[in-house]
DNA sequence: AGTTTATGTCAGCTTCGTTGACATTCCAAG
DNA sequence: CTTGGAATGTCAACGAAGCTGACATAAACT
């Protein structure tokens, strides 16, 4: 572990060197550069078919929550329905996503990936997982645990709770 | 530390449970949600003045590298010069950034924040640091070290080297 | 019957990516 | 010294993907 972060005073106080403005600033820049690396591979694949990150996000969450409704997706993605609709329209027209009228509530549309959509999702997610796995492997398990911990604290708490509720609902049913 | 990540076989092999597809996928989603939180506060401030993230990025790196050239900024930001120019044009017209013709090479433009630009930069960066600092504090120093380690490995290695060379040049001169 | 909710769509605006064309400046080869 | 290519910066136009506002439709709820 970084020596500069482990120093303590002999009175036992936490050393707060990891909270200096300069350390924080480095973290901010690292986040910016890392996010670029994080999206680079899927971006290339998406560009081949004329899609963007918006399509990737929709595909990803439909894969995780098959049968989810449009409203649900709106909450997770945090965009307007007009914006999502443009993306979804294209995915449906291209035969990657299927939209079925809800059984209990026929106003709702339940969204599913088609076989073609599943294949594309696999291509995207394998590319991205490869990159993240390489970073994880290089950094080691302790670093990964810390990485996840900081990210959890950086999210909007409401969104995090909402998302975990969705996951529980999915896994519990 | 997460117990599931610490298990080892009695032969001493690393347990690779932190590299399962499901763990990686959770990391990917965490990255997505965290990045939203990470940019939320500056986004609000920027929106008040009709700016976007592109302006924030330009301001940030001009602050870090006063007198940097347009080409330098292009390498760091990873966009086309035409795209950056629009952003820079506006910042210059609004009196946040000053562009001075290079002394040795008069094709170059050296970029500086004006007093007004410095003030705006401070407002943006304080908002973002507040959020990141809160996450750091909640997660603790070990987690932060791990966070930084994983992010470093997630970046494009060439970009990382390039950026560190710039930093050394700045700090060494 | 009237209201609310879920979804979809049209029009129009903005940011911020892109490519192409072009002007300016510098440097180096002839 | 001149001239042609390389580096740099700007202008124009296009596209993707956000946004707001208005409105339509259908289903569900009261």
């Amino acid at each position: 572990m970084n020596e500069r972060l482990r120093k303590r005073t002999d009175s036992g106080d936490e050393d707060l060197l990891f909270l200096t403005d300069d350390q924080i600033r480095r973290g901010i820049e690292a986040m910016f550069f890392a996010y670029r690396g994080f999206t680079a591979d899927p971006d290339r694949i998406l560009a081949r078919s004329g899609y963007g990150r918006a399509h990737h996000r929709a595909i990803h969450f439909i894969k995780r929550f098959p049968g989810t409704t449009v409203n649900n997706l709106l909450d997770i993605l945090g965009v307007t329905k007009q914006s999502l609709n443009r993306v979804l329209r294209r995915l449906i027209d291209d035969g990657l996503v299927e939209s079925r009228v809800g059984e209990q509530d026929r106003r709702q549309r339940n969204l599913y990936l088609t076989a073609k959509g599943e294949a594309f999702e696999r291509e995207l997610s394998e590319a991205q997982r490869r990159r993240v796995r390489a970073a994880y492997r290089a950094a080691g398990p302790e670093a990964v645990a810390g990485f996840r911990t900081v990210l959890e604290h950086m999210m909007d708490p409401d969104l995090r709770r909402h998302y975990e509720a969705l996951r529980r609902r999915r896994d519990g049913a």
Side-chain angles (χ1 to χ4, degrees), chain A residues 17-30:
Chain A
L17 223 48
F18 77 112
L19 287 175
T20 62
D21 279 1
D22 191 61
Q23 283 299 318
I24 306 275
R25 189 185 53 69
R26 282 162 193 262
I28 287 173
E29 290 181 355

Side-chain angles (χ1 to χ4, degrees), chain A residues 97-166:
Chain A
V97 167
E98 193 194 340
S99 164
R100 290 186 220 150
V101 171
E103 299 206 338
Q104 313 90 331
D105 187 336
R106 293 168 31 86
R107 288 173 304 182
Q108 295 183 344
R109 299 290 179 273
N110 297 113
L111 303 170
Y112 302 88
L113 292 185
T114 62
K116 193 176 162 191
E118 292 276 350
F120 193 51
E121 192 283 331
R122 209 149 34 236
E123 192 184 355
L124 287 169
S125 100
E126 268 167 19
Q128 191 160 42
R129 277 204 305 271
R130 216 173 356 256
R131 170 89 66 139
V132 174
R133 184 179 297 109
Y136 273 21
R137 194 192 309 275
E142 331 269 342
V144 169
F147 170 72
R148 289 294 308 280
T149 303
V150 173
L151 288 188
E152 300 281 333
H153 286 290
M154 216 174 271
M155 297 178 196
D156 177 59
D158 288 344
L159 177 58
R160 188 184 166 190
R161 269 193 295 278
H162 179 63
Y163 189 66
E164 275 172 9
L166 284 183

Side-chain angles (χ1 to χ4, degrees), chain A residues 22-51:
Chain A
D22 191 61
Q23 283 299 318
I24 306 275
R25 189 185 53 69
R26 282 162 193 262
I28 287 173
E29 290 181 355
M31 193 74 180
F32 167 64
F33 290 128
Y35 199 78
R36 278 241 300 268
F38 170 72
T39 54
D41 299 323
D43 281 354
R44 263 189 295 277
I45 295 168
L46 290 157
R48 286 207 307 261
S49 314
Y51 295 122

